[in-house]
Amino acid sequence: MNPADPHLAKTRLLDFDATSIAKLIEERGWADLPSDDRIGAIYDFVRNEITFGYNRADDIPASEVLADGHGQCNTKGTLLMALLRGVGVRCRLHGFTIHKALQRGVVPELVYPLAPSEILHSWVEVDLGDGWVNHRQNFGFVRDLLYRHVIRHWMNARVRRIRRGILPPVPGFDRPNRRHEETNRAA
């Protein structure tokens, strides 16, 4: 490991030298695995053994996420990065914002108006030595072709409408969006 490499560095959030994280890496034997297996085993751990849930804040150290035993995209990403860096895998974080409407149903309606309109979403990339890699959804040939040339454009149009405040009908969501109804009547 090159401690001067910022993609391997320990940070306040990526506290891979914390006892609980170092012990987990040791117990699982991740450092002894070949690089691809190391990445896969750590990814599987965070995805499958750290349940989805909300921590007290997004900017908590990885050791706290591990102690909580749950996290969401941002905090699970922090834990994933700490574990990866703890075994010498270069990684970095990417982020963007999503509209709060994408979390409708999870955020209780009573407090939904208090939620910020834009919410941070993030993911982790790893360097496999020949470039940075994102986890890619395996759709299969036909679905991938449809996604690349039709579906993603349709989805992007829906996202643009959501950003303008026009919510599409959602099955099981019994409170229609008035602006959506007005737009449909005008069309």
Side-chain angles (χ1 to χ4, degrees), residues 23-115:
K23 183 179 175 186
L24 176 64
I25 291 171
E26 171 84 22
E27 287 173 353
R28 299 287 176 119
W30 290 330
D32 300 326
L33 296 174
S35 181
D36 286 355
D37 294 340
R38 225 181 293 168
I39 294 165
I42 291 170
Y43 177 82
D44 285 345
F45 170 79
V46 174
R47 179 188 65 195
N48 299 328
E49 297 185 47
I50 303 299
T51 61
F52 179 83
Y54 293 90
N55 307 89
R56 68 176 175 83
D58 280 353
D59 63 345
I60 62 172
S63 57
E64 187 174 333
V65 179
L66 182 61
D68 286 350
H70 64 265
Q72 36 75 8
C73 60
N74 302 318
T75 54
K76 282 182 124 183
T78 299
L79 178 58
L80 178 63
M81 287 182 68
L83 291 170
L84 290 170
R85 288 187 182 187
V87 298
V89 175
R90 297 178 78 236
C91 58
R92 64 186 181 188
L93 186 73
H94 282 277
F96 64 97
T97 58
I98 60 174
H99 192 274
K100 72 178 181 179
L102 293 173
Q103 291 193 339
R104 188 139 225 173
V106 174
V107 177
E109 287 301 312
L110 184 62
V111 295
Y112 184 80
L114 302 175

Side-chain angles (χ1 to χ4, degrees), residues 158-177:
R158 291 173 66 91
V159 169
R160 285 190 296 274
R161 285 195 311 270
I162 289 170
R163 286 186 179 135
R164 291 193 312 261
I166 304 167
L167 300 179
V170 177
F173 187 65
D174 61 353
R175 290 178 25 186
N177 179 303

